[in-house]
Amino acid sequence: MSYEIPEPYVWDDSFRTTYDNIDTEHKAIFVCIFNCAKDPKSAALITKLYDVTADHFTDEEGMMVKAKYEDVTNHKQIHKDFLAKIKSLKAPLDDASLAWAKQWLVGHIKGIDFKYKGKL
Ligand code: FEO
């Protein structure tokens, strides 16, 4: 399923998970990707995207484990695959990599994260 990519690339209420801490972290990942698009030559911004995303995944996975969420193993693997891909990105980022990151986050929040709504 494909989802509309916000332009400018900014979090909005359609991404609300109902968990304020998670929404705050998702907003921060949006900002990181926005910044990477603004300055694709910056390797530091790619590293920042990786770090902010990794921290978010750690927090979200902790909540899923604590709640004994049934899909945690699959969800963790999806996170791991995304981080591996970000790790492989090199500055300058090309348009295809930026488009992929934008689509991935939107699709992940709405298609995967939303499944845990009301369960954590
Ligand atoms: Fe919010 Fe599964 O990342």
Side-chain angles (χ1 to χ4, degrees):
M1 182 161 181
S2 69
Y3 301 94
E4 192 179 333
I5 308 301
E7 190 54 55
Y9 197 70
V10 177
W11 187 96
D12 62 51
D13 276 349
S14 72
F15 295 98
R16 195 173 290 287
T17 61
T18 72
Y19 304 100
D20 287 345
N21 62 320
I22 287 179
D23 291 339
T24 298
E25 292 175 2
H26 285 163
K27 285 176 197 171
I29 303 173
F30 266 89
V31 169
C32 287
I33 294 176
F34 180 93
N35 288 339
C36 283
K38 216 167 68 174
D39 186 5
K41 291 181 182 159
S42 170
L45 288 175
I46 301 173
T47 302
K48 173 88 175 168
L49 169 62
Y50 181 92
D51 291 344
V52 168
T53 304
D55 285 349
H56 164 60
F57 288 167
T58 299
D59 291 343
E60 190 179 84
E61 289 170 12
M63 288 172 70
M64 289 191 281
V65 168
K66 197 172 165 195
K68 298 185 169 49
Y69 177 58
E70 68 271 14
D71 195 35
V72 65
T73 304
N74 178 52
H75 199 137
K76 276 184 174 181
Q77 186 61 49
I78 293 168
H79 285 171
K80 199 173 159 191
D81 292 346
F82 183 66
L83 286 177
K85 171 83 183 197
I86 296 180
K87 197 93 178 168
S88 75
L89 296 177
K90 301 270 181 279
L93 285 175
D94 57 22
D95 289 347
S97 297
L98 285 164
W100 166 79
K102 287 180 177 181
Q103 282 168 4
W104 189 91
L105 182 62
V106 165
H108 183 72
I109 293 173
K110 292 190 171 177
I112 303 294
D113 286 353
F114 274 12
K115 292 180 184 172
Y116 61 52
K117 275 188 185 181
K119 297 182 177 178
L120 304 187

